[in-house]
Short mmCIF file of all heavy atoms in Angstrom, two decimals:
data_model
loop_
_atom_site.label_atom_id
_atom_site.label_comp_id
_atom_site.label_asym_id
_atom_site.label_seq_id
_atom_site.Cartn_x
_atom_site.Cartn_y
_atom_site.Cartn_z
N MET A 40 -50.11 12.57 -15.50
CA MET A 40 -48.73 12.77 -15.05
C MET A 40 -48.00 11.44 -15.06
O MET A 40 -48.39 10.50 -14.36
CB MET A 40 -48.71 13.39 -13.66
CG MET A 40 -48.75 14.88 -13.68
SD MET A 40 -48.45 15.53 -12.07
CE MET A 40 -50.06 15.40 -11.36
N LEU A 41 -46.98 11.35 -15.81
CA LEU A 41 -46.17 10.16 -15.83
C LEU A 41 -44.84 10.41 -15.16
O LEU A 41 -44.11 11.33 -15.52
CB LEU A 41 -45.91 9.69 -17.27
CG LEU A 41 -47.09 9.12 -18.04
CD1 LEU A 41 -46.70 8.88 -19.48
CD2 LEU A 41 -47.54 7.81 -17.41
N SER A 42 -44.56 9.64 -14.17
CA SER A 42 -43.27 9.75 -13.52
C SER A 42 -42.55 8.42 -13.59
O SER A 42 -43.12 7.39 -13.27
CB SER A 42 -43.40 10.19 -12.06
OG SER A 42 -44.18 9.24 -11.35
N MET A 43 -41.32 8.48 -14.07
CA MET A 43 -40.55 7.25 -14.16
C MET A 43 -39.93 6.98 -12.82
O MET A 43 -39.08 7.71 -12.35
CB MET A 43 -39.45 7.42 -15.22
CG MET A 43 -40.01 7.58 -16.61
SD MET A 43 -40.67 6.02 -17.26
CE MET A 43 -39.21 5.30 -17.95
N ARG A 44 -40.35 5.88 -12.23
CA ARG A 44 -39.75 5.51 -10.94
C ARG A 44 -38.58 4.59 -11.18
O ARG A 44 -38.70 3.54 -11.81
CB ARG A 44 -40.78 4.79 -10.08
CG ARG A 44 -41.72 5.74 -9.41
CD ARG A 44 -42.35 5.05 -8.23
NE ARG A 44 -43.19 5.99 -7.46
CZ ARG A 44 -43.84 5.65 -6.39
NH1 ARG A 44 -43.77 4.43 -5.95
NH2 ARG A 44 -44.55 6.52 -5.72
N ARG A 45 -37.47 4.99 -10.69
CA ARG A 45 -36.26 4.19 -10.88
C ARG A 45 -35.74 3.69 -9.55
O ARG A 45 -34.56 3.71 -9.29
CB ARG A 45 -35.18 5.00 -11.60
CG ARG A 45 -35.56 5.31 -13.03
CD ARG A 45 -34.34 5.28 -13.91
NE ARG A 45 -34.67 4.94 -15.28
CZ ARG A 45 -33.76 4.61 -16.17
NH1 ARG A 45 -32.50 4.55 -15.87
NH2 ARG A 45 -34.10 4.30 -17.41
N SER A 46 -36.68 3.35 -8.67
CA SER A 46 -36.26 2.88 -7.36
C SER A 46 -35.56 1.51 -7.48
O SER A 46 -34.62 1.22 -6.74
CB SER A 46 -37.42 2.79 -6.39
OG SER A 46 -38.44 2.01 -7.00
N THR A 47 -36.06 0.71 -8.40
CA THR A 47 -35.45 -0.60 -8.59
C THR A 47 -34.54 -0.54 -9.79
O THR A 47 -34.98 -0.45 -10.93
CB THR A 47 -36.48 -1.70 -8.81
OG1 THR A 47 -37.44 -1.22 -9.75
CG2 THR A 47 -37.20 -2.05 -7.52
N VAL A 48 -33.26 -0.57 -9.54
CA VAL A 48 -32.30 -0.56 -10.64
C VAL A 48 -31.70 -1.96 -10.77
O VAL A 48 -30.91 -2.40 -9.95
CB VAL A 48 -31.19 0.45 -10.40
CG1 VAL A 48 -30.22 0.43 -11.59
CG2 VAL A 48 -31.78 1.84 -10.23
N LYS A 49 -32.18 -2.64 -11.77
CA LYS A 49 -31.65 -3.97 -12.07
C LYS A 49 -30.82 -3.88 -13.31
O LYS A 49 -31.12 -3.10 -14.18
CB LYS A 49 -32.80 -4.96 -12.27
CG LYS A 49 -33.63 -5.22 -11.06
CD LYS A 49 -32.91 -6.22 -10.17
CE LYS A 49 -33.61 -6.28 -8.82
NZ LYS A 49 -32.85 -7.10 -7.86
N SER A 50 -29.81 -4.69 -13.39
CA SER A 50 -29.03 -4.68 -14.62
C SER A 50 -29.85 -5.31 -15.78
O SER A 50 -30.71 -6.15 -15.50
CB SER A 50 -27.71 -5.41 -14.46
OG SER A 50 -27.92 -6.78 -14.52
N SER A 51 -29.55 -4.89 -16.96
CA SER A 51 -30.28 -5.41 -18.11
C SER A 51 -30.14 -6.91 -18.20
O SER A 51 -31.11 -7.60 -18.52
CB SER A 51 -29.72 -4.77 -19.41
OG SER A 51 -29.73 -3.39 -19.27
N THR A 52 -28.99 -7.41 -17.85
CA THR A 52 -28.77 -8.85 -17.92
C THR A 52 -29.65 -9.59 -16.92
O THR A 52 -30.22 -10.63 -17.25
CB THR A 52 -27.29 -9.17 -17.62
OG1 THR A 52 -26.47 -8.18 -18.20
CG2 THR A 52 -26.93 -10.52 -18.17
N ASP A 53 -29.80 -9.05 -15.73
CA ASP A 53 -30.64 -9.66 -14.70
C ASP A 53 -32.07 -9.73 -15.18
O ASP A 53 -32.74 -10.73 -15.05
CB ASP A 53 -30.63 -8.84 -13.41
CG ASP A 53 -29.36 -9.07 -12.63
OD1 ASP A 53 -28.61 -10.05 -12.96
OD2 ASP A 53 -29.09 -8.31 -11.71
N VAL A 54 -32.55 -8.61 -15.73
CA VAL A 54 -33.93 -8.54 -16.19
C VAL A 54 -34.17 -9.57 -17.32
O VAL A 54 -35.13 -10.36 -17.26
CB VAL A 54 -34.26 -7.14 -16.69
CG1 VAL A 54 -35.64 -7.08 -17.34
CG2 VAL A 54 -34.24 -6.15 -15.50
N ILE A 55 -33.28 -9.59 -18.28
CA ILE A 55 -33.48 -10.47 -19.42
C ILE A 55 -33.41 -11.93 -19.00
O ILE A 55 -34.27 -12.72 -19.36
CB ILE A 55 -32.46 -10.13 -20.51
CG1 ILE A 55 -32.85 -8.80 -21.15
CG2 ILE A 55 -32.38 -11.24 -21.56
CD1 ILE A 55 -31.93 -8.34 -22.24
N SER A 56 -32.40 -12.28 -18.24
CA SER A 56 -32.26 -13.69 -17.85
C SER A 56 -33.42 -14.11 -16.95
O SER A 56 -33.92 -15.23 -17.06
CB SER A 56 -30.93 -13.96 -17.18
OG SER A 56 -30.83 -13.29 -15.96
N GLY A 57 -33.87 -13.22 -16.08
CA GLY A 57 -35.00 -13.54 -15.22
C GLY A 57 -36.27 -13.80 -16.00
O GLY A 57 -36.92 -14.84 -15.82
N ILE A 58 -36.58 -12.91 -16.91
CA ILE A 58 -37.81 -13.06 -17.69
C ILE A 58 -37.74 -14.29 -18.60
O ILE A 58 -38.70 -15.03 -18.75
CB ILE A 58 -38.10 -11.77 -18.47
CG1 ILE A 58 -38.45 -10.65 -17.49
CG2 ILE A 58 -39.24 -11.98 -19.47
CD1 ILE A 58 -38.56 -9.30 -18.10
N LEU A 59 -36.58 -14.54 -19.16
CA LEU A 59 -36.41 -15.73 -20.01
C LEU A 59 -36.64 -17.00 -19.19
O LEU A 59 -37.10 -18.01 -19.71
CB LEU A 59 -35.03 -15.75 -20.62
CG LEU A 59 -34.81 -14.76 -21.78
CD1 LEU A 59 -33.36 -14.86 -22.28
CD2 LEU A 59 -35.76 -15.01 -22.93
N ASN A 60 -36.29 -16.95 -17.90
CA ASN A 60 -36.51 -18.11 -17.04
C ASN A 60 -37.85 -18.08 -16.34
O ASN A 60 -38.09 -18.88 -15.43
CB ASN A 60 -35.37 -18.18 -16.01
CG ASN A 60 -34.06 -18.55 -16.64
OD1 ASN A 60 -33.96 -19.54 -17.34
ND2 ASN A 60 -33.04 -17.76 -16.39
N CYS A 61 -38.71 -17.13 -16.70
CA CYS A 61 -40.04 -16.97 -16.09
C CYS A 61 -39.92 -16.70 -14.58
O CYS A 61 -40.76 -17.17 -13.80
CB CYS A 61 -40.91 -18.22 -16.32
SG CYS A 61 -41.24 -18.48 -18.06
N VAL A 62 -38.89 -15.98 -14.20
CA VAL A 62 -38.71 -15.62 -12.81
C VAL A 62 -38.60 -14.09 -12.71
O VAL A 62 -37.85 -13.48 -13.45
CB VAL A 62 -37.42 -16.24 -12.23
CG1 VAL A 62 -37.16 -15.78 -10.82
CG2 VAL A 62 -37.49 -17.76 -12.27
N CYS A 63 -39.37 -13.50 -11.83
CA CYS A 63 -39.36 -12.09 -11.66
C CYS A 63 -38.00 -11.60 -11.19
O CYS A 63 -37.50 -12.09 -10.18
CB CYS A 63 -40.45 -11.64 -10.70
SG CYS A 63 -40.38 -9.89 -10.32
N PRO A 64 -37.36 -10.66 -11.91
CA PRO A 64 -36.05 -10.16 -11.48
C PRO A 64 -36.09 -9.43 -10.14
O PRO A 64 -35.07 -9.30 -9.49
CB PRO A 64 -35.65 -9.20 -12.62
CG PRO A 64 -36.51 -9.55 -13.77
CD PRO A 64 -37.80 -10.06 -13.17
N GLU A 65 -37.25 -8.92 -9.80
CA GLU A 65 -37.37 -8.14 -8.56
C GLU A 65 -37.62 -9.01 -7.33
O GLU A 65 -36.86 -8.96 -6.37
CB GLU A 65 -38.52 -7.12 -8.73
CG GLU A 65 -38.77 -6.27 -7.50
CD GLU A 65 -37.59 -5.43 -7.11
OE1 GLU A 65 -36.79 -5.07 -7.97
OE2 GLU A 65 -37.45 -5.16 -5.90
N CYS A 66 -38.67 -9.81 -7.37
CA CYS A 66 -39.05 -10.55 -6.15
C CYS A 66 -38.83 -12.06 -6.28
O CYS A 66 -38.99 -12.80 -5.31
CB CYS A 66 -40.50 -10.25 -5.81
SG CYS A 66 -41.68 -11.02 -6.92
N GLY A 67 -38.43 -12.51 -7.47
CA GLY A 67 -38.21 -13.94 -7.62
C GLY A 67 -39.48 -14.73 -7.82
O GLY A 67 -39.46 -15.96 -7.84
N GLY A 68 -40.58 -14.01 -7.99
CA GLY A 68 -41.88 -14.67 -8.19
C GLY A 68 -42.03 -15.20 -9.60
O GLY A 68 -41.18 -15.02 -10.48
N ARG A 69 -43.16 -15.85 -9.82
CA ARG A 69 -43.44 -16.45 -11.10
C ARG A 69 -43.95 -15.36 -12.06
O ARG A 69 -44.68 -14.49 -11.68
CB ARG A 69 -44.52 -17.51 -10.91
CG ARG A 69 -44.76 -18.45 -12.05
CD ARG A 69 -45.59 -19.63 -11.56
NE ARG A 69 -46.83 -19.18 -10.95
CZ ARG A 69 -47.99 -19.05 -11.61
NH1 ARG A 69 -48.03 -19.32 -12.89
NH2 ARG A 69 -49.09 -18.68 -10.99
N MET A 70 -43.55 -15.46 -13.31
CA MET A 70 -44.06 -14.57 -14.32
C MET A 70 -45.37 -15.12 -14.90
O MET A 70 -45.69 -16.29 -14.66
CB MET A 70 -43.05 -14.38 -15.46
CG MET A 70 -41.71 -13.83 -14.98
SD MET A 70 -41.84 -12.20 -14.19
CE MET A 70 -42.04 -11.17 -15.60
N GLY A 71 -46.08 -14.27 -15.64
CA GLY A 71 -47.42 -14.66 -16.09
C GLY A 71 -47.43 -15.73 -17.16
O GLY A 71 -46.41 -16.10 -17.70
N GLU A 72 -48.64 -16.17 -17.42
CA GLU A 72 -48.83 -17.18 -18.46
C GLU A 72 -48.70 -16.55 -19.82
O GLU A 72 -48.39 -15.36 -19.93
CB GLU A 72 -50.23 -17.78 -18.33
CG GLU A 72 -50.48 -18.45 -16.97
CD GLU A 72 -49.59 -19.66 -16.75
OE1 GLU A 72 -49.26 -20.34 -17.74
OE2 GLU A 72 -49.25 -19.92 -15.61
N ARG A 73 -48.96 -17.31 -20.85
CA ARG A 73 -48.86 -16.83 -22.22
C ARG A 73 -49.69 -15.56 -22.39
O ARG A 73 -50.84 -15.51 -21.99
CB ARG A 73 -49.34 -17.89 -23.19
CG ARG A 73 -48.72 -17.78 -24.52
CD ARG A 73 -49.18 -18.89 -25.43
NE ARG A 73 -48.53 -20.16 -25.14
CZ ARG A 73 -48.86 -21.32 -25.75
NH1 ARG A 73 -49.77 -21.32 -26.66
NH2 ARG A 73 -48.21 -22.40 -25.45
N GLY A 74 -49.08 -14.54 -22.98
CA GLY A 74 -49.76 -13.26 -23.15
C GLY A 74 -49.51 -12.29 -22.00
O GLY A 74 -49.78 -11.12 -22.09
N GLN A 75 -49.02 -12.83 -20.88
CA GLN A 75 -48.73 -12.01 -19.73
C GLN A 75 -47.30 -12.25 -19.26
O GLN A 75 -46.98 -12.17 -18.08
CB GLN A 75 -49.67 -12.40 -18.56
CG GLN A 75 -51.12 -12.19 -18.87
CD GLN A 75 -51.61 -10.87 -18.28
OE1 GLN A 75 -51.43 -10.58 -17.14
NE2 GLN A 75 -52.21 -10.05 -19.12
N GLU A 76 -46.44 -12.54 -20.23
CA GLU A 76 -45.07 -12.96 -19.92
C GLU A 76 -44.30 -11.94 -19.12
O GLU A 76 -43.35 -12.26 -18.44
CB GLU A 76 -44.29 -13.28 -21.19
CG GLU A 76 -44.80 -14.52 -21.91
CD GLU A 76 -45.77 -14.20 -23.00
OE1 GLU A 76 -46.38 -13.13 -22.96
OE2 GLU A 76 -45.97 -15.05 -23.91
N TYR A 77 -44.69 -10.68 -19.24
CA TYR A 77 -43.93 -9.61 -18.62
C TYR A 77 -44.52 -9.17 -17.28
O TYR A 77 -44.02 -8.23 -16.67
CB TYR A 77 -43.82 -8.42 -19.55
CG TYR A 77 -43.20 -8.78 -20.89
CD1 TYR A 77 -43.99 -8.98 -21.99
CD2 TYR A 77 -41.81 -8.89 -21.00
CE1 TYR A 77 -43.41 -9.32 -23.21
CE2 TYR A 77 -41.23 -9.25 -22.20
CZ TYR A 77 -42.04 -9.45 -23.33
OH TYR A 77 -41.48 -9.77 -24.53
N ARG A 78 -45.58 -9.84 -16.88
CA ARG A 78 -46.29 -9.43 -15.66
C ARG A 78 -45.95 -10.38 -14.53
O ARG A 78 -46.20 -11.58 -14.63
CB ARG A 78 -47.79 -9.45 -15.92
CG ARG A 78 -48.63 -9.23 -14.70
CD ARG A 78 -48.64 -7.81 -14.22
NE ARG A 78 -49.49 -6.97 -15.09
CZ ARG A 78 -49.75 -5.70 -14.82
NH1 ARG A 78 -49.27 -5.14 -13.74
NH2 ARG A 78 -50.47 -5.00 -15.63
N CYS A 79 -45.40 -9.83 -13.46
CA CYS A 79 -45.06 -10.65 -12.30
C CYS A 79 -46.34 -11.12 -11.61
O CYS A 79 -47.24 -10.35 -11.39
CB CYS A 79 -44.18 -9.85 -11.34
SG CYS A 79 -43.92 -10.67 -9.79
N GLN A 80 -46.38 -12.39 -11.28
CA GLN A 80 -47.52 -12.94 -10.52
C GLN A 80 -47.15 -13.11 -9.04
O GLN A 80 -47.89 -13.69 -8.28
CB GLN A 80 -47.91 -14.31 -11.10
CG GLN A 80 -48.14 -14.31 -12.58
CD GLN A 80 -49.42 -13.59 -12.97
OE1 GLN A 80 -50.49 -13.95 -12.52
NE2 GLN A 80 -49.29 -12.53 -13.74
N GLY A 81 -45.95 -12.66 -8.70
CA GLY A 81 -45.47 -12.82 -7.32
C GLY A 81 -45.84 -11.63 -6.45
O GLY A 81 -46.97 -11.12 -6.52
N GLU A 82 -44.89 -11.19 -5.64
CA GLU A 82 -45.18 -10.18 -4.65
C GLU A 82 -45.26 -8.77 -5.22
O GLU A 82 -46.09 -7.97 -4.83
CB GLU A 82 -44.11 -10.20 -3.54
CG GLU A 82 -44.27 -11.41 -2.62
CD GLU A 82 -43.12 -11.48 -1.64
OE1 GLU A 82 -42.42 -10.45 -1.47
OE2 GLU A 82 -42.92 -12.54 -1.07
N CYS A 83 -44.37 -8.47 -6.18
CA CYS A 83 -44.27 -7.08 -6.62
C CYS A 83 -45.28 -6.72 -7.71
O CYS A 83 -45.54 -5.56 -7.93
CB CYS A 83 -42.83 -6.74 -7.04
SG CYS A 83 -42.34 -7.48 -8.58
N LEU A 84 -45.83 -7.75 -8.41
CA LEU A 84 -46.82 -7.51 -9.45
C LEU A 84 -46.36 -6.51 -10.50
O LEU A 84 -47.13 -5.76 -11.07
CB LEU A 84 -48.16 -7.05 -8.85
CG LEU A 84 -48.80 -8.07 -7.91
CD1 LEU A 84 -50.03 -7.41 -7.28
CD2 LEU A 84 -49.19 -9.32 -8.64
N MET A 85 -45.08 -6.53 -10.76
CA MET A 85 -44.46 -5.55 -11.65
C MET A 85 -44.70 -5.94 -13.11
O MET A 85 -44.73 -7.10 -13.45
CB MET A 85 -42.97 -5.49 -11.35
CG MET A 85 -42.22 -4.54 -12.22
SD MET A 85 -41.39 -3.32 -11.22
CE MET A 85 -40.39 -2.54 -12.45
N ASP A 86 -44.91 -4.91 -13.92
CA ASP A 86 -44.98 -5.14 -15.36
C ASP A 86 -43.63 -4.79 -15.97
O ASP A 86 -43.21 -3.65 -15.97
CB ASP A 86 -46.09 -4.24 -15.96
CG ASP A 86 -46.35 -4.59 -17.42
OD1 ASP A 86 -45.54 -5.33 -18.03
OD2 ASP A 86 -47.36 -4.11 -17.95
N TRP A 87 -42.96 -5.82 -16.48
CA TRP A 87 -41.58 -5.64 -16.90
C TRP A 87 -41.44 -5.32 -18.37
O TRP A 87 -40.32 -5.26 -18.87
CB TRP A 87 -40.82 -6.96 -16.61
CG TRP A 87 -40.58 -7.17 -15.16
CD1 TRP A 87 -41.39 -7.92 -14.34
CD2 TRP A 87 -39.55 -6.64 -14.35
NE1 TRP A 87 -40.88 -7.88 -13.06
CE2 TRP A 87 -39.74 -7.08 -13.04
CE3 TRP A 87 -38.45 -5.79 -14.61
CZ2 TRP A 87 -38.90 -6.73 -11.99
CZ3 TRP A 87 -37.62 -5.46 -13.58
CH2 TRP A 87 -37.85 -5.91 -12.28
N ARG A 88 -42.52 -5.16 -19.08
CA ARG A 88 -42.45 -5.05 -20.51
C ARG A 88 -41.52 -3.90 -20.94
O ARG A 88 -40.63 -4.09 -21.78
CB ARG A 88 -43.83 -4.88 -21.10
CG ARG A 88 -43.75 -4.59 -22.59
CD ARG A 88 -45.14 -4.68 -23.20
NE ARG A 88 -45.16 -5.75 -24.17
CZ ARG A 88 -46.22 -6.48 -24.48
NH1 ARG A 88 -47.33 -6.28 -23.88
NH2 ARG A 88 -46.17 -7.40 -25.40
N GLU A 89 -41.76 -2.69 -20.39
CA GLU A 89 -40.96 -1.54 -20.82
C GLU A 89 -39.50 -1.76 -20.47
O GLU A 89 -38.61 -1.44 -21.27
CB GLU A 89 -41.48 -0.29 -20.17
CG GLU A 89 -42.60 0.34 -20.89
CD GLU A 89 -42.98 1.70 -20.32
OE1 GLU A 89 -42.10 2.38 -19.81
OE2 GLU A 89 -44.16 2.04 -20.37
N ILE A 90 -39.27 -2.27 -19.27
CA ILE A 90 -37.91 -2.48 -18.84
C ILE A 90 -37.23 -3.54 -19.71
O ILE A 90 -36.07 -3.41 -20.08
CB ILE A 90 -37.89 -2.86 -17.37
CG1 ILE A 90 -38.47 -1.70 -16.55
CG2 ILE A 90 -36.50 -3.20 -16.90
CD1 ILE A 90 -38.83 -2.06 -15.16
N TRP A 91 -37.98 -4.56 -20.04
CA TRP A 91 -37.48 -5.61 -20.91
C TRP A 91 -37.06 -5.04 -22.25
O TRP A 91 -36.02 -5.33 -22.78
CB TRP A 91 -38.55 -6.69 -21.07
CG TRP A 91 -38.39 -7.54 -22.27
CD1 TRP A 91 -38.92 -7.31 -23.52
CD2 TRP A 91 -37.61 -8.75 -22.39
NE1 TRP A 91 -38.54 -8.31 -24.38
CE2 TRP A 91 -37.73 -9.21 -23.71
CE3 TRP A 91 -36.84 -9.47 -21.50
CZ2 TRP A 91 -37.11 -10.37 -24.17
CZ3 TRP A 91 -36.23 -10.64 -21.94
CH2 TRP A 91 -36.36 -11.06 -23.26
N GLU A 92 -37.92 -4.19 -22.82
CA GLU A 92 -37.63 -3.62 -24.14
C GLU A 92 -36.41 -2.73 -24.08
O GLU A 92 -35.54 -2.76 -24.94
CB GLU A 92 -38.85 -2.85 -24.66
CG GLU A 92 -39.89 -3.82 -25.20
CD GLU A 92 -41.19 -3.12 -25.57
OE1 GLU A 92 -41.28 -1.88 -25.44
OE2 GLU A 92 -42.10 -3.82 -25.99
N GLN A 93 -36.32 -1.91 -23.01
CA GLN A 93 -35.15 -1.04 -22.84
C GLN A 93 -33.90 -1.88 -22.69
O GLN A 93 -32.86 -1.60 -23.26
CB GLN A 93 -35.31 -0.16 -21.60
CG GLN A 93 -36.25 1.01 -21.87
CD GLN A 93 -36.56 1.78 -20.58
OE1 GLN A 93 -35.85 1.63 -19.61
NE2 GLN A 93 -37.58 2.58 -20.64
N ALA A 94 -34.00 -2.92 -21.88
CA ALA A 94 -32.84 -3.77 -21.57
C ALA A 94 -32.36 -4.47 -22.84
O ALA A 94 -31.18 -4.51 -23.12
CB ALA A 94 -33.19 -4.78 -20.50
N SER A 95 -33.29 -5.02 -23.60
CA SER A 95 -32.88 -5.74 -24.80
C SER A 95 -32.31 -4.81 -25.83
O SER A 95 -31.35 -5.15 -26.53
CB SER A 95 -34.04 -6.56 -25.37
OG SER A 95 -35.16 -5.77 -25.56
N ALA A 96 -32.87 -3.58 -25.89
CA ALA A 96 -32.31 -2.60 -26.81
C ALA A 96 -30.90 -2.22 -26.40
O ALA A 96 -29.99 -2.09 -27.23
CB ALA A 96 -33.22 -1.38 -26.84
N GLU A 97 -30.74 -2.05 -25.09
CA GLU A 97 -29.43 -1.67 -24.58
C GLU A 97 -28.39 -2.75 -24.86
O GLU A 97 -27.30 -2.48 -25.34
CB GLU A 97 -29.55 -1.47 -23.07
CG GLU A 97 -28.36 -0.78 -22.44
CD GLU A 97 -28.61 -0.62 -20.94
OE1 GLU A 97 -29.71 -0.16 -20.56
OE2 GLU A 97 -27.71 -0.97 -20.19
N LEU A 98 -28.74 -3.98 -24.56
CA LEU A 98 -27.81 -5.07 -24.82
C LEU A 98 -27.54 -5.25 -26.29
O LEU A 98 -26.44 -5.54 -26.71
CB LEU A 98 -28.38 -6.36 -24.24
CG LEU A 98 -28.39 -6.47 -22.71
CD1 LEU A 98 -28.84 -7.87 -22.30
CD2 LEU A 98 -27.01 -6.17 -22.14
N GLY A 99 -28.59 -5.03 -27.12
CA GLY A 99 -28.42 -5.14 -28.55
C GLY A 99 -27.41 -4.14 -29.06
O GLY A 99 -26.53 -4.45 -29.86
N THR A 100 -27.51 -2.91 -28.55
CA THR A 100 -26.57 -1.85 -28.96
C THR A 100 -25.17 -2.20 -28.54
O THR A 100 -24.23 -2.10 -29.31
CB THR A 100 -26.96 -0.51 -28.30
OG1 THR A 100 -28.34 -0.30 -28.51
CG2 THR A 100 -26.16 0.63 -28.90
N ARG A 101 -25.08 -2.71 -27.30
CA ARG A 101 -23.75 -3.03 -26.80
C ARG A 101 -23.10 -4.14 -27.61
O ARG A 101 -21.94 -4.07 -27.93
CB ARG A 101 -23.85 -3.49 -25.33
CG ARG A 101 -23.81 -2.32 -24.39
CD ARG A 101 -23.80 -2.80 -22.99
NE ARG A 101 -24.04 -1.70 -22.09
CZ ARG A 101 -24.42 -1.84 -20.82
NH1 ARG A 101 -24.64 -3.01 -20.36
NH2 ARG A 101 -24.59 -0.76 -20.05
N SER A 102 -23.91 -5.18 -27.94
CA SER A 102 -23.29 -6.29 -28.65
C SER A 102 -22.92 -5.86 -30.08
O SER A 102 -21.91 -6.32 -30.60
CB SER A 102 -24.24 -7.49 -28.67
OG SER A 102 -25.47 -7.14 -29.30
N LYS A 103 -23.73 -4.97 -30.65
CA LYS A 103 -23.34 -4.47 -31.96
C LYS A 103 -22.03 -3.70 -31.91
O LYS A 103 -21.16 -3.85 -32.76
CB LYS A 103 -24.43 -3.50 -32.51
CG LYS A 103 -25.46 -4.22 -33.38
CD LYS A 103 -26.50 -3.23 -33.84
CE LYS A 103 -27.78 -3.95 -34.24
NZ LYS A 103 -28.90 -3.02 -34.38
N ARG A 104 -21.93 -2.84 -30.84
CA ARG A 104 -20.69 -2.08 -30.69
C ARG A 104 -19.48 -2.98 -30.52
O ARG A 104 -18.45 -2.77 -31.12
CB ARG A 104 -20.83 -1.14 -29.49
CG ARG A 104 -21.48 0.16 -29.86
CD ARG A 104 -21.47 1.10 -28.69
NE ARG A 104 -22.36 2.23 -28.96
CZ ARG A 104 -22.88 2.99 -28.03
NH1 ARG A 104 -22.64 2.73 -26.76
NH2 ARG A 104 -23.65 3.99 -28.34
N SER A 105 -19.64 -3.97 -29.67
CA SER A 105 -18.50 -4.83 -29.39
C SER A 105 -18.15 -5.69 -30.59
O SER A 105 -17.02 -6.04 -30.83
CB SER A 105 -18.72 -5.69 -28.16
OG SER A 105 -19.83 -6.52 -28.36
N ALA A 106 -19.20 -6.00 -31.39
CA ALA A 106 -18.94 -6.81 -32.59
C ALA A 106 -18.18 -6.01 -33.60
O ALA A 106 -17.45 -6.55 -34.44
CB ALA A 106 -20.25 -7.31 -33.18
N ARG A 107 -18.37 -4.68 -33.57
CA ARG A 107 -17.69 -3.81 -34.50
C ARG A 107 -16.18 -3.74 -34.25
O ARG A 107 -15.42 -3.43 -35.11
CB ARG A 107 -18.23 -2.42 -34.42
CG ARG A 107 -19.29 -2.12 -35.47
CD ARG A 107 -19.66 -0.65 -35.38
NE ARG A 107 -20.38 -0.21 -36.56
CZ ARG A 107 -20.75 1.04 -36.75
NH1 ARG A 107 -20.46 1.96 -35.81
NH2 ARG A 107 -21.39 1.41 -37.82
N ARG A 108 -15.87 -3.93 -32.98
CA ARG A 108 -14.46 -3.78 -32.57
C ARG A 108 -13.60 -4.81 -33.27
O ARG A 108 -13.86 -5.97 -33.20
CB ARG A 108 -14.34 -3.93 -31.06
CG ARG A 108 -13.11 -3.27 -30.56
CD ARG A 108 -13.02 -3.19 -29.05
NE ARG A 108 -14.07 -3.97 -28.34
CZ ARG A 108 -13.81 -4.61 -27.22
NH1 ARG A 108 -12.63 -4.57 -26.69
NH2 ARG A 108 -14.76 -5.27 -26.58
N ILE A 109 -12.61 -4.33 -33.96
CA ILE A 109 -11.69 -5.27 -34.66
C ILE A 109 -10.30 -5.16 -34.05
O ILE A 109 -9.76 -4.09 -33.99
CB ILE A 109 -11.63 -4.94 -36.18
CG1 ILE A 109 -13.02 -4.94 -36.79
CG2 ILE A 109 -10.72 -5.92 -36.90
CD1 ILE A 109 -13.08 -4.43 -38.20
ZN1 ZN B 231 -42.09 -9.73 -8.84
#
């Protein structure tokens, strides 16, 4: 049984900038070492990989759309 928990709603920008800075968007903890970049080593121990992928896809779509606007 897979249930998508959406208790933590972070904006895509928050997630992306946090992970790029090696800071967990949720608890502010340190992100993992090489190979574990999406795994929080802080309090929440969250795996951000799926959220990261969704967020980057979302932002990618948005930027494409806005780039189309003439
Ligand atoms: Zn965390």
Side-chain angles (χ1 to χ4, degrees):
M40 272 189 279
L41 288 173
S42 59
M43 294 288 273
R44 280 200 174 181
R45 292 216 153 193
S46 54
T47 47
V48 181
K49 293 281 169 187
S50 78
S51 306
T52 322
D53 283 347
V54 172
I55 287 180
S56 66
I58 292 171
L59 286 178
N60 290 308
C61 298
V62 175
C63 174
E65 177 61 28
C66 71
R69 193 166 56 93
M70 300 301 283
E72 301 295 328
R73 206 178 283 176
Q75 298 262 309
E76 290 96 339
Y77 302 100
R78 171 76 74 174
C79 172
Q80 308 288 301
E82 286 174 19
C83 72
L84 298 174
M85 179 122 171
D86 188 347
W87 289 95
R88 174 169 242 150
E89 275 187 31
I90 298 166
W91 159 270
E92 282 173 1
Q93 283 173 16
S95 53
E97 193 179 313
L98 288 186
T100 311
R101 273 185 192 162
S102 59
K103 268 180 201 165
R104 274 185 192 159
S105 61
R107 263 186 165 184
R108 202 171 10 143
I109 304 171

